[in-house]
Amino acid sequence: MFGAGGGTSAYVEAEDADLLVLWGSNARETHPIFFHHVLQGLKKGARMWSVDPRRTSTAQWADGWLGLDVGTDVALANAIGREIIHAGLVNEVFVERSTTGFEDYRATVEPYTLERAQEITGVDADLIRGLAHAYARADRAQICWTLGITEHHNAADNVFALINLALLTGHVGRYGSGLVPLRGQNNVQGGGDMGAIPAKLPGGYDLGDEEARARYERAWGVPISPKPGMHLSEIFEAMDTGTLRALYCIGENPAESEANAAHARHLLEGLDHLVVQDIFRTATAELADVVLPAAADWCEYEGTVTNSERRVQRVRKALDPPGSARPDSHIICGVAERMGHAWGEPTAEEVWDELRSLSLNWHAGMSYARLDALGGIQWPCPDEDHPGTPTLHTRLWAENPEERGRLAPFMPVEHAAPLDVLSEDFPIRLTTVRILDAYNSGVQSGGYSSPMRRRESLRMDAGDAAELGIADGERVRVVSRRGAVEAPVAFDPSLRPGLASFTPHFSEEVDINVLTNDAWDPKSGTSEFKATAIRIEKI
Amino acid sequence: MDLRLSGTAPTEAERRAVDAAFAAHRSPDDLPGADVRFPDSGHAARGRRHILLPALHAVMDEVGHLTPGALNHVARVLSVPPADVYGVATFYAMFSVTPRAPHVVHVCDDVACAPAGAEDVIAGLAEDLGEEGEGKEVCWVRSPCLGLCERAPAVMLQLAKRPDVSVAPAAIGGLRAELDRIATEEPAEVPSADAAFADVTVSVPQAGQPQLTLLRRVGVVDPESIDDYRAHGGYEALRRAVEMGAERVIREVSDSSLTGRGGAAFPTGVKWDGVARAPSRPHYLVCNADESEPGTFKDRVLMEYDPFGLIEAMTIAGFATGCERGYLYIRGEYPLATRRLEHAIATARAHGYLGDDVAGDGFRFDIELRRGAGAYICGEETALLNSIEGHRGEPRNKPPFPATSGLFGKPTVINNVETLYNVLPVLAVGGQAFAGVGGGRSTGTKLFCVSGAVATPGVYEVEFGTTLRELLELAGGVRGELRTVLLGGAAGGFVLPEHLDVPLTLEAAREIGATLGSGVVLAFDTQADLTGTLRRIAAFFRDESCGQCVPCRVGTVRQEEALARLTRGAAKGPELMLLDDLARVMQDASICGLGQTAPAAVMSALKLGLL
Amino acid sequence: MTTVLLGSISRLVTVTVDGRELRVPEGSTILDVLREQGVETPTLCWAPNLTPINACRVCMVEVEGSRVLVPSCARKVDDGMVVRTDTEKVRHSRRMVLELLASSTDMTQASADVQRWMVEYGVDPDRYGPPAPAEEDRAGRRPGHHHVPDGSTAANVAQPVKVDNDLYVRDYARCILCYKCVKACGTDAQFTFAISAAGRGFDAHIATEYDGELPDSACVYCGNCIGVCPTGALKSVREHELREDGDWHPESETVTTTICSFCGVGCNLELHVQQGSIVNVTSPSDHSVTHGHLCIKGRFGFQHVQNLPEA
């Protein structure tokens, strides 16, 4: 945000915050160790609010729970913003000094009255007002979010709507106040930072940054196209239109994890050539022409990963990789060599040092020795004397306009309902959720025996089930506009009437992405996993 | 919080009992949510834990034991994790987490009652009901001191669906008749067993004598009448306190040199001053009425016969130290005193002596009575605080002391019952005059609980400085030939006949290596089974140790084992060395006074050659 | 706006330790000072990532003006405080605490430090008599009641190991009731509160509600209790089985710090590897991300790298 794709606060700041808003995040189960910091904050007296369609285990710690309808986050956030403005709780000094575009924002949110928001979101107007006032009045407040914000067709808008609230109240760039996107995977932050985002170079530089691009071109001895590549959703679209005919897929299992999975598998099967490089023989690997067995880099090789507080940390080798498995970087170098590029077999540290020589702002100061000594370093860390940056964007509070730098822009956004609309034929909203002891498509977490494990079920409100004449545990057919699956039903009090959920963890039991919508957010490329319209049929 | 509860449901009766306890104790701004599918969340819900003991009592009172369904419901309503509910429930002797007869006869077999025929009562009950703890409708269990030593032997009937009662002195015949009544008759408004307590002279032979100060109203006023209380000078001290203002009240108390009567003898004025000045708010007042030291019954007698006196004294303490709320924590084995205090609190509230505008003087103060549930350790002040807060009654590490961080982490005054009663004469005569009686840290009068081999056991009020011999004579003299006196209770020590002329002051007792402790004076004649007494004391500490710290938890076990070996005739040398080693680590390294004094009586007896 | 003091430089106070005058930061515990000074102080219930528990009473020291000994783990230094660690009183208490524990609990899997302290302080647990036989159900004992002993055997906590799930075992014959597991499960880390001390006195023990099995409890298998257990009462099933089979080789163990592969929090994992296979996972207690605490995936989720197809 404001030119840097990373959370603004260190985890420990949650322990000193006065107010924590967990929005579309069940951190209690999906980021349990981050939630430890939240709990320490609560122990010290912090208040916590949960914004989530489900009354999650996180929400059960909250002082206030806003159980909104799936996909109405922008309307809720805009109403909160409007209420803050109308109650005179705007941090006027911050807005004036450190932001741009407030007037546009004010105009955009003006129609989002509490009453209208209640109508759109289903959340009681008093609760919305309560959160608005609590957030604006807190000395130190954070908004933390996860996939409940980002797995929507308007994911980026959702994020902008939350950022706007932080700008309105000055809850960013100060210790204890911040915007904290909790990353789903151990290196989703690092992958992006290393340039695995179509419009970015390693180190967070825009592809359009001529100076940075020239530096990378010089170092690599090749020209770099200033034109962004494709993101995952575009790749699948290109496969659909036939313009993309070959795919090299590393550590990803799209045959199971993509929305509208049946269609995705069809596209993967139709490729001329599919190479899969993975530590498992995944469902995607089953479709591949070539499978390259990879080492589990987190414990079978060396390297770094970057977490949700921008902390770069070392992974180290504890075990030998099995059989012929090799570290990803070695495989890639090997492939390059077959293509005529003699990259040798650089060590992880050599690769890293090359990055440091190019990522001048974020990573230059992070030698392996320093990462080892300091237990990781948070970027930006521009030189070897720099301690790293726990709290980002403190510059916005600088008295001196020059130090303040580029001001933070409000990004006014409008509510847009989920694309997969509820109808008479598809009256129930299905959302995907994650649970404590499992992880993503289950290929890793399936490897150990959790005493809490339960069979995958369609979880739903008991009252809804009663209306359909469905008993707890009964097997049903779940139908969406894209496909159908069968699954047992489990009553779940955390779900309000009209809402049902599946986890993505056990696709061998229930292949849920057969149901989900592959419509995606044009700004971020994320699919609308969280909002599927379904009906439930007795078998 | 995200509680994980099993699906076990409470019965309707259990649900009602718990819900009623919650309604009675919840704070007015804590509104339970409408969604019955969830425990409430947030800070408000997590602040309900202090209702745990009342809720468990409510279930015990209704059902007689704690079922999984009831514990689950308690956990859900109060937002307390079920394992914590279980941990608390299993801490207290009066609670049972396994099915048990709804009526339980607690038979005291402690130091005063054992020589007075407790085993005869037990033999009779065993004949009727079977082994300890067995029985469908009624069962019996052994109990530590019930605080009825002047009426030994004593039992307490813990009854489901009707008020608990004490029966003392208890003979098997009368007990059988009482149990019959319970089986066949509806509960009366005033339990019939209370009638035995009508004759106050059994407890206070001095009752009515003009020189009395602390006991002056005992046997004189109707303990259930606030008008009678006022007619006998009641609430004059409060009026005086309000006239002089809080600071002056504290000054008078400081000038009086009044020291705590619970055993530690800390200057009350210093304590009050500390809390009054503490910047953190709110302040709390706690009255420690968990009188459980074996051989001690003075607080019980005061509370039974002059309950309004305690309410007035607490109100003055609250006024002086800036507390708006006082907790009166009374041991669970005092049913009559509990009834009289509950009545006194309700009456005082109805007459405007408690509430938002006390006696029209514009200050706010109210009292909440909390019942203990059978744990000596809860008489330790920080264990008591934990007990009120709904935690296990384990003592806290000090510092911080309660005056800085006490109940709910706030500045807290904790005073023992007798200490608070002393505030009334301090205000009546002034601090200086009060200090004119006795001297040093031993000013004013002192209550002693005289029992054992004396002609007329009971509570006696004497001026500090009275000798032990005079006190025993006051109690009608020793029956038989005096062997020794246990002074200060199980945590105290023995005194030989040659020391009978020692003046009863903190200072003089200390000089002969003794302590006044809680005012226990338990006389043993030459026929007494001192070995049995010592083993009972060792067993008492082993039972009453909370289990938190190693020296006390294991030390009390090893002490009892060594004593057992000694009495079986084991070689003395190694056992005495072992006992000495144990005593030192318990004294030096235990967290609280219980562990530190657990070897006191045993070591004193060994030193004096009584074993 | 209230001010949060962060990393503010605290005032220094003067304390005297065994005759040496020192200037130390206000707010330090005596134990902090002793560790800083290299004065070895035995501890059992203390851990760097838990608030002081103050239950074991083995770290006691003498403080001038205090009638009783003082727990160095919990007591903060005052200006002018005079501390002695080498007195007879201190040594006696430490010896007795260790001896009382060793006489009632199986301490054989406690750390090498603990074994050494027992020798150095001259612990003789046998002098309390032969151990009483193991008991199937210690949990059923009622508070305030016990069977009066004859002293011929020494009461202890011997009992069978509880194995009721695939991830970790509870061997309460080794439990010294240090409360660390309760704190880690509760307000010092996990806030799950699946366990509490139950019962009273010598019969106090760590329990789930109704002394039930873990799968019936609130346990979420974060294993943070294992992480802090000082005596091997709580350990992974893997370690338990290897020990039972005589295949436990701590001398050959390597420990490698890496980052968890689940979620984006970035928890540091210490992989304990014996003979080419991960046997335990811990986390460094001094790391700001985890403070030494993990979740079920971090602590037990490593198995996917070891579930290899049959060769």
Side-chain angles (χ1 to χ4, degrees), chain C residues 34-55:
Chain C
L34 296 179
R35 289 180 163 247
E36 183 69 33
Q37 292 296 310
V39 179
E40 194 188 26
T41 309
T43 58
L44 290 167
C45 72
W46 177 86
N49 56 349
L50 301 175
T51 48
I53 292 163
N54 180 41

PDB file of all heavy atoms in Angstrom, chain C residues 34-55:
ATOM      1  N   LEU C  34      21.136 -12.478  38.405  1.00  0.00           N
ATOM      2  CA  LEU C  34      22.009 -13.623  38.660  1.00  0.00           C
ATOM      3  C   LEU C  34      22.489 -14.227  37.343  1.00  0.00           C
ATOM      4  O   LEU C  34      23.647 -14.618  37.201  1.00  0.00           O
ATOM      5  CB  LEU C  34      21.281 -14.672  39.504  1.00  0.00           C
ATOM      6  CG  LEU C  34      20.878 -14.230  40.917  1.00  0.00           C
ATOM      7  CD1 LEU C  34      20.136 -15.343  41.638  1.00  0.00           C
ATOM      8  CD2 LEU C  34      22.105 -13.806  41.720  1.00  0.00           C
ATOM      9  N   ARG C  35      21.598 -14.318  36.371  1.00  0.00           N
ATOM     10  CA  ARG C  35      21.979 -14.895  35.090  1.00  0.00           C
ATOM     11  C   ARG C  35      22.992 -14.004  34.384  1.00  0.00           C
ATOM     12  O   ARG C  35      23.970 -14.487  33.826  1.00  0.00           O
ATOM     13  CB  ARG C  35      20.751 -15.096  34.209  1.00  0.00           C
ATOM     14  CG  ARG C  35      19.908 -16.210  34.740  1.00  0.00           C
ATOM     15  CD  ARG C  35      18.662 -16.483  33.918  1.00  0.00           C
ATOM     16  NE  ARG C  35      18.200 -17.803  34.299  1.00  0.00           N
ATOM     17  CZ  ARG C  35      18.211 -18.856  33.499  1.00  0.00           C
ATOM     18  NH1 ARG C  35      18.589 -18.742  32.246  1.00  0.00           N
ATOM     19  NH2 ARG C  35      17.804 -20.031  33.940  1.00  0.00           N
ATOM     20  N   GLU C  36      22.705 -12.717  34.441  1.00  0.00           N
ATOM     21  CA  GLU C  36      23.612 -11.752  33.842  1.00  0.00           C
ATOM     22  C   GLU C  36      25.008 -11.880  34.456  1.00  0.00           C
ATOM     23  O   GLU C  36      26.026 -11.776  33.777  1.00  0.00           O
ATOM     24  CB  GLU C  36      23.034 -10.342  34.087  1.00  0.00           C
ATOM     25  CG  GLU C  36      23.794  -9.203  33.481  1.00  0.00           C
ATOM     26  CD  GLU C  36      23.709  -9.197  31.970  1.00  0.00           C
ATOM     27  OE1 GLU C  36      22.652  -9.611  31.440  1.00  0.00           O
ATOM     28  OE2 GLU C  36      24.700  -8.792  31.321  1.00  0.00           O
ATOM     29  N   GLN C  37      25.047 -12.133  35.760  1.00  0.00           N
ATOM     30  CA  GLN C  37      26.306 -12.227  36.479  1.00  0.00           C
ATOM     31  C   GLN C  37      26.926 -13.615  36.393  1.00  0.00           C
ATOM     32  O   GLN C  37      27.989 -13.852  36.959  1.00  0.00           O
ATOM     33  CB  GLN C  37      26.085 -11.879  37.960  1.00  0.00           C
ATOM     34  CG  GLN C  37      25.734 -10.423  38.194  1.00  0.00           C
ATOM     35  CD  GLN C  37      26.870  -9.511  37.797  1.00  0.00           C
ATOM     36  OE1 GLN C  37      28.010  -9.709  38.194  1.00  0.00           O
ATOM     37  NE2 GLN C  37      26.578  -8.519  36.962  1.00  0.00           N
ATOM     38  N   GLY C  38      26.217 -14.531  35.748  1.00  0.00           N
ATOM     39  CA  GLY C  38      26.752 -15.882  35.637  1.00  0.00           C
ATOM     40  C   GLY C  38      26.672 -16.678  36.939  1.00  0.00           C
ATOM     41  O   GLY C  38      27.407 -17.636  37.131  1.00  0.00           O
ATOM     42  N   VAL C  39      25.793 -16.265  37.845  1.00  0.00           N
ATOM     43  CA  VAL C  39      25.594 -17.040  39.078  1.00  0.00           C
ATOM     44  C   VAL C  39      24.568 -18.117  38.777  1.00  0.00           C
ATOM     45  O   VAL C  39      23.397 -17.819  38.554  1.00  0.00           O
ATOM     46  CB  VAL C  39      25.072 -16.135  40.221  1.00  0.00           C
ATOM     47  CG1 VAL C  39      24.848 -16.964  41.483  1.00  0.00           C
ATOM     48  CG2 VAL C  39      26.016 -14.994  40.472  1.00  0.00           C
ATOM     49  N   GLU C  40      25.001 -19.361  38.721  1.00  0.00           N
ATOM     50  CA  GLU C  40      24.061 -20.406  38.335  1.00  0.00           C
ATOM     51  C   GLU C  40      22.975 -20.554  39.391  1.00  0.00           C
ATOM     52  O   GLU C  40      23.259 -20.675  40.583  1.00  0.00           O
ATOM     53  CB  GLU C  40      24.752 -21.747  38.117  1.00  0.00           C
ATOM     54  CG  GLU C  40      23.786 -22.674  37.404  1.00  0.00           C
ATOM     55  CD  GLU C  40      24.264 -24.111  37.274  1.00  0.00           C
ATOM     56  OE1 GLU C  40      25.068 -24.541  38.116  1.00  0.00           O
ATOM     57  OE2 GLU C  40      23.798 -24.781  36.343  1.00  0.00           O
ATOM     58  N   THR C  41      21.749 -20.526  38.942  1.00  0.00           N
ATOM     59  CA  THR C  41      20.607 -20.613  39.850  1.00  0.00           C
ATOM     60  C   THR C  41      19.667 -21.680  39.313  1.00  0.00           C
ATOM     61  O   THR C  41      19.196 -21.556  38.178  1.00  0.00           O
ATOM     62  CB  THR C  41      19.869 -19.259  39.898  1.00  0.00           C
ATOM     63  OG1 THR C  41      20.834 -18.235  40.153  1.00  0.00           O
ATOM     64  CG2 THR C  41      18.806 -19.258  40.976  1.00  0.00           C
ATOM     65  N   PRO C  42      19.427 -22.728  40.082  1.00  0.00           N
ATOM     66  CA  PRO C  42      18.528 -23.750  39.561  1.00  0.00           C
ATOM     67  C   PRO C  42      17.111 -23.207  39.395  1.00  0.00           C
ATOM     68  O   PRO C  42      16.654 -22.408  40.224  1.00  0.00           O
ATOM     69  CB  PRO C  42      18.570 -24.852  40.629  1.00  0.00           C
ATOM     70  CG  PRO C  42      19.103 -24.207  41.851  1.00  0.00           C
ATOM     71  CD  PRO C  42      19.953 -23.056  41.415  1.00  0.00           C
ATOM     72  N   THR C  43      16.444 -23.592  38.319  1.00  0.00           N
ATOM     73  CA  THR C  43      15.042 -23.237  38.120  1.00  0.00           C
ATOM     74  C   THR C  43      14.329 -24.437  37.533  1.00  0.00           C
ATOM     75  O   THR C  43      14.932 -25.233  36.805  1.00  0.00           O
ATOM     76  CB  THR C  43      14.871 -22.060  37.134  1.00  0.00           C
ATOM     77  OG1 THR C  43      15.471 -22.419  35.889  1.00  0.00           O
ATOM     78  CG2 THR C  43      15.487 -20.782  37.656  1.00  0.00           C
ATOM     79  N   LEU C  44      13.054 -24.564  37.838  1.00  0.00           N
ATOM     80  CA  LEU C  44      12.229 -25.618  37.239  1.00  0.00           C
ATOM     81  C   LEU C  44      10.955 -25.041  36.630  1.00  0.00           C
ATOM     82  O   LEU C  44      10.583 -25.360  35.506  1.00  0.00           O
ATOM     83  CB  LEU C  44      11.862 -26.668  38.293  1.00  0.00           C
ATOM     84  CG  LEU C  44      13.024 -27.552  38.772  1.00  0.00           C
ATOM     85  CD1 LEU C  44      12.639 -28.322  40.023  1.00  0.00           C
ATOM     86  CD2 LEU C  44      13.436 -28.527  37.666  1.00  0.00           C
ATOM     87  N   CYS C  45      10.282 -24.175  37.385  1.00  0.00           N
ATOM     88  CA  CYS C  45       9.002 -23.658  36.884  1.00  0.00           C
ATOM     89  C   CYS C  45       9.186 -22.362  36.109  1.00  0.00           C
ATOM     90  O   CYS C  45       8.233 -21.823  35.572  1.00  0.00           O
ATOM     91  CB  CYS C  45       7.997 -23.477  38.015  1.00  0.00           C
ATOM     92  SG  CYS C  45       8.345 -22.106  39.137  1.00  0.00           S
ATOM     93  N   TRP C  46      10.403 -21.872  36.046  1.00  0.00           N
ATOM     94  CA  TRP C  46      10.664 -20.630  35.312  1.00  0.00           C
ATOM     95  C   TRP C  46      10.961 -20.949  33.855  1.00  0.00           C
ATOM     96  O   TRP C  46      11.591 -21.960  33.541  1.00  0.00           O
ATOM     97  CB  TRP C  46      11.855 -19.915  35.944  1.00  0.00           C
ATOM     98  CG  TRP C  46      12.256 -18.655  35.214  1.00  0.00           C
ATOM     99  CD1 TRP C  46      11.731 -17.409  35.404  1.00  0.00           C
ATOM    100  CD2 TRP C  46      13.249 -18.533  34.193  1.00  0.00           C
ATOM    101  NE1 TRP C  46      12.341 -16.520  34.561  1.00  0.00           N
ATOM    102  CE2 TRP C  46      13.271 -17.179  33.804  1.00  0.00           C
ATOM    103  CE3 TRP C  46      14.102 -19.436  33.560  1.00  0.00           C
ATOM    104  CZ2 TRP C  46      14.123 -16.702  32.813  1.00  0.00           C
ATOM    105  CZ3 TRP C  46      14.950 -18.959  32.569  1.00  0.00           C
ATOM    106  CH2 TRP C  46      14.955 -17.604  32.210  1.00  0.00           C
ATOM    107  N   ALA C  47      10.510 -20.111  32.956  1.00  0.00           N
ATOM    108  CA  ALA C  47      10.888 -20.214  31.546  1.00  0.00           C
ATOM    109  C   ALA C  47      10.961 -18.806  30.990  1.00  0.00           C
ATOM    110  O   ALA C  47      10.196 -17.936  31.404  1.00  0.00           O
ATOM    111  CB  ALA C  47       9.863 -21.035  30.763  1.00  0.00           C
ATOM    112  N   PRO C  48      11.876 -18.595  30.043  1.00  0.00           N
ATOM    113  CA  PRO C  48      12.063 -17.231  29.551  1.00  0.00           C
ATOM    114  C   PRO C  48      10.821 -16.695  28.848  1.00  0.00           C
ATOM    115  O   PRO C  48      10.641 -15.480  28.765  1.00  0.00           O
ATOM    116  CB  PRO C  48      13.241 -17.367  28.562  1.00  0.00           C
ATOM    117  CG  PRO C  48      13.338 -18.815  28.239  1.00  0.00           C
ATOM    118  CD  PRO C  48      12.815 -19.547  29.433  1.00  0.00           C
ATOM    119  N   ASN C  49       9.968 -17.586  28.352  1.00  0.00           N
ATOM    120  CA  ASN C  49       8.797 -17.118  27.602  1.00  0.00           C
ATOM    121  C   ASN C  49       7.505 -17.239  28.405  1.00  0.00           C
ATOM    122  O   ASN C  49       6.428 -17.232  27.839  1.00  0.00           O
ATOM    123  CB  ASN C  49       8.678 -17.861  26.273  1.00  0.00           C
ATOM    124  CG  ASN C  49       8.623 -19.366  26.454  1.00  0.00           C
ATOM    125  OD1 ASN C  49       8.872 -19.883  27.551  1.00  0.00           O
ATOM    126  ND2 ASN C  49       8.290 -20.073  25.402  1.00  0.00           N
ATOM    127  N   LEU C  50       7.612 -17.374  29.712  1.00  0.00           N
ATOM    128  CA  LEU C  50       6.409 -17.413  30.546  1.00  0.00           C
ATOM    129  C   LEU C  50       6.561 -16.380  31.658  1.00  0.00           C
ATOM    130  O   LEU C  50       7.673 -16.085  32.096  1.00  0.00           O
ATOM    131  CB  LEU C  50       6.222 -18.793  31.178  1.00  0.00           C
ATOM    132  CG  LEU C  50       6.084 -19.990  30.227  1.00  0.00           C
ATOM    133  CD1 LEU C  50       6.020 -21.287  31.034  1.00  0.00           C
ATOM    134  CD2 LEU C  50       4.855 -19.858  29.350  1.00  0.00           C
ATOM    135  N   THR C  51       5.434 -15.841  32.119  1.00  0.00           N
ATOM    136  CA  THR C  51       5.507 -14.974  33.285  1.00  0.00           C
ATOM    137  C   THR C  51       5.884 -15.844  34.487  1.00  0.00           C
ATOM    138  O   THR C  51       5.519 -17.015  34.534  1.00  0.00           O
ATOM    139  CB  THR C  51       4.158 -14.282  33.553  1.00  0.00           C
ATOM    140  OG1 THR C  51       3.142 -15.264  33.502  1.00  0.00           O
ATOM    141  CG2 THR C  51       3.878 -13.222  32.526  1.00  0.00           C
ATOM    142  N   PRO C  52       6.628 -15.281  35.444  1.00  0.00           N
ATOM    143  CA  PRO C  52       7.093 -16.125  36.547  1.00  0.00           C
ATOM    144  C   PRO C  52       5.927 -16.828  37.247  1.00  0.00           C
ATOM    145  O   PRO C  52       4.900 -16.220  37.519  1.00  0.00           O
ATOM    146  CB  PRO C  52       7.765 -15.120  37.486  1.00  0.00           C
ATOM    147  CG  PRO C  52       8.170 -13.982  36.612  1.00  0.00           C
ATOM    148  CD  PRO C  52       7.111 -13.908  35.549  1.00  0.00           C
ATOM    149  N   ILE C  53       6.106 -18.101  37.494  1.00  0.00           N
ATOM    150  CA  ILE C  53       5.048 -18.919  38.085  1.00  0.00           C
ATOM    151  C   ILE C  53       5.247 -19.024  39.593  1.00  0.00           C
ATOM    152  O   ILE C  53       4.298 -19.006  40.358  1.00  0.00           O
ATOM    153  CB  ILE C  53       5.032 -20.301  37.403  1.00  0.00           C
ATOM    154  CG1 ILE C  53       4.566 -20.131  35.959  1.00  0.00           C
ATOM    155  CG2 ILE C  53       4.125 -21.258  38.156  1.00  0.00           C
ATOM    156  CD1 ILE C  53       4.879 -21.314  35.074  1.00  0.00           C
ATOM    157  N   ASN C  54       6.515 -19.151  39.993  1.00  0.00           N
ATOM    158  CA  ASN C  54       6.780 -19.067  41.409  1.00  0.00           C
ATOM    159  C   ASN C  54       6.182 -20.229  42.189  1.00  0.00           C
ATOM    160  O   ASN C  54       5.615 -20.063  43.231  1.00  0.00           O
ATOM    161  CB  ASN C  54       6.218 -17.720  41.922  1.00  0.00           C
ATOM    162  CG  ASN C  54       6.427 -17.514  43.389  1.00  0.00           C
ATOM    163  OD1 ASN C  54       7.495 -17.840  43.892  1.00  0.00           O
ATOM    164  ND2 ASN C  54       5.426 -17.019  44.076  1.00  0.00           N
ATOM    165  N   ALA C  55       6.272 -21.441  41.650  1.00  0.00           N
ATOM    166  CA  ALA C  55       5.684 -22.581  42.348  1.00  0.00           C
ATOM    167  C   ALA C  55       6.719 -23.575  42.854  1.00  0.00           C
ATOM    168  O   ALA C  55       6.529 -24.195  43.884  1.00  0.00           O
ATOM    169  CB  ALA C  55       4.692 -23.302  41.434  1.00  0.00           C
TER     170      ALA C  55
END
